[in-house]
């Protein structure tokens, strides 16, 4: 069988530990035998970030801006323990955060629904995609432990407001966002909903945070009215703004199948809730979308350090490769769509179906065994071999 040809590359960003091992398995067993894979390769493993003083992450982000489609393996964001373990000269920032900032992107996470399983919420029939505004808010806050009486004052551009007059010990916090970032977030969310042909919800708490959250509400409405309303109406989908407490209640009664845009902290919490309700974080896809049209696909989980340590001892592990596999299929499907290569898009669909068919036939890793009711899981190599067998039959 002739391999499927690619016109343009995807930006390939390799990663760390057990997910790096799985990355190679997927390429060797499920991609290279069928696709004449064309990539621009960047090694974002922690050792190479140390060797390049993290310049490689910026190079990968620039390549993503230029190429438009990328696929990223899970990477380590080091803490003090990791600095000692990997002999690092400094504590490098999260590659995900660096790339997000470089392309001005929004992270969209959605669960992979397994055959034979049902979400914990009985009404949910289709995946819910969480759009998280991964900028500022609590993650870039400034905190102050107040020991003595005095005023906490918020000031900017000649304006000043007393936050609180302390008469004794307490804590103060300030956080920020920018119109430009919120506008980019809104455009990415509206574009994603149009691409999926699903409703978009946005929710916050503007009744309490009338200025901060109110700015999010107003910008979303302005961008929708000026740039997306006609396209939404033509596609038969809708934009809904509602308070976050109402959105949570609506979500629990819904059938799923919509995109839910949330501020940074809200999106962080709700993506974990959605992941757990549909299965697990190991079964969540994640795609970074920028308003300029960049797409970066990755797994929503970490580097599976516990299994990596076991593998270093020579043990075979039952590590779930599904989210990493779906990162590759997402990138190849998008590349096929943009380049007009129907064979590449169809291959991505076949590979996903082959993995789900394997699970439906009872070939699962340990974590999926508990979800699907299979008595015991197989190791990663056996699962990937089962996927390949079914993929070959479908070609």
């Amino acid at each position: 069988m002739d391999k499927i040809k690619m016109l343009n590359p995807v930006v390939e960003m390799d990663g760390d530990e057990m997910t790096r091992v799985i990355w190679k398995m997927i390429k060797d067993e499920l991609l290279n035998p069928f696709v004449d894979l064309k990539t621009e390769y960047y090694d974002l493993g922690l050792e190479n970030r140390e060797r390049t003083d993290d310049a490689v992450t910026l190079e990968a982000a620039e390549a993503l801006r230029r190429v438009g489609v990328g696929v990223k393996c899970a990477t380590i964001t080091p803490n003090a323990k990791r600095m000692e373990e990997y002999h690092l000269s400094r504590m490098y920032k999260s590659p995900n955060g660096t790339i997000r900032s470089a392309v001005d992107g929004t992270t969209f996470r959605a669960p992979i629904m397994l055959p034979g399983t049902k979400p914990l919420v009985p009404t949910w029939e289709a995946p819910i995609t969480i759009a998280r505004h991964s900028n500022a808010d609590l993650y870039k806050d400034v905190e102050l432990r107040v020991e003595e009486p005095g005023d906490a004052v918020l000031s900017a551009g000649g304006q000043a407001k007393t936050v609180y007059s302390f008469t004794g010990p307490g804590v103060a916090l300030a956080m920020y966002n920018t119109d430009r970032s919120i506008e980019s977030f809104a455009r990415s969310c509206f574009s994603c909903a149009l691409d999926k042909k699903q409703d978009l919800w946005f929710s916050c708490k503007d009744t309490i945070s009338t200025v901060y959250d109110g700015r999010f509400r107003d910008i979303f409405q302005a961008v929708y009215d000026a740039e997306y309303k006609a396209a939404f109406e033509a596609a038969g989908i809708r934009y809904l703004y509602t308070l976050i407490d109402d959105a949570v209640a609506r979500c629990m009664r819904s059938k799923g199948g919509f995109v839910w845009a949330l501020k940074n902290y809200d999106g962080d919490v709700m993506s974990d809730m959605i992941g757990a309700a549909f299965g697990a974080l190991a079964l969540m896809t994640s795609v970074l979308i920028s308003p300029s049209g960049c797409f970066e696909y990755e797994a929503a989980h970490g580097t599976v350090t516990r299994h990596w340590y076991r593998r270093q001892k020579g043990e075979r592990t039952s590590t779930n490769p599904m989210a990493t596999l779906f990162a590759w299929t997402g990138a190849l499907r998008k590349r096929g769509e943009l380049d007009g290569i129907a064979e590449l898009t169809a291959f991505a669909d076949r590979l996903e179906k082959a993995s789900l068919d394997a699970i439906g036939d009872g070939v699962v890793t340990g974590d999926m065994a508990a979800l699907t009711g299979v008595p015991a899981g197989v190791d990663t190599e056996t699962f990937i071999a089962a996927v390949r067998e079914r993929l070959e039959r479908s070609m």
Side-chain angles (χ1 to χ4, degrees), residues 116-158:
T117 66
K118 293 184 178 180
L120 296 179
V121 179
T123 59
W124 289 352
E125 298 175 0
I128 297 168
T129 300
I130 297 294
R132 176 185 172 190
H133 184 216
S134 304
N135 183 69
D137 279 330
L138 286 174
Y139 300 86
K140 292 288 181 68
D141 68 4
V142 177
E143 301 174 316
L144 180 66
R145 173 75 172 106
V146 179
E147 302 289 353
E148 303 292 338
D151 291 342
V153 179
L154 186 65
S155 66

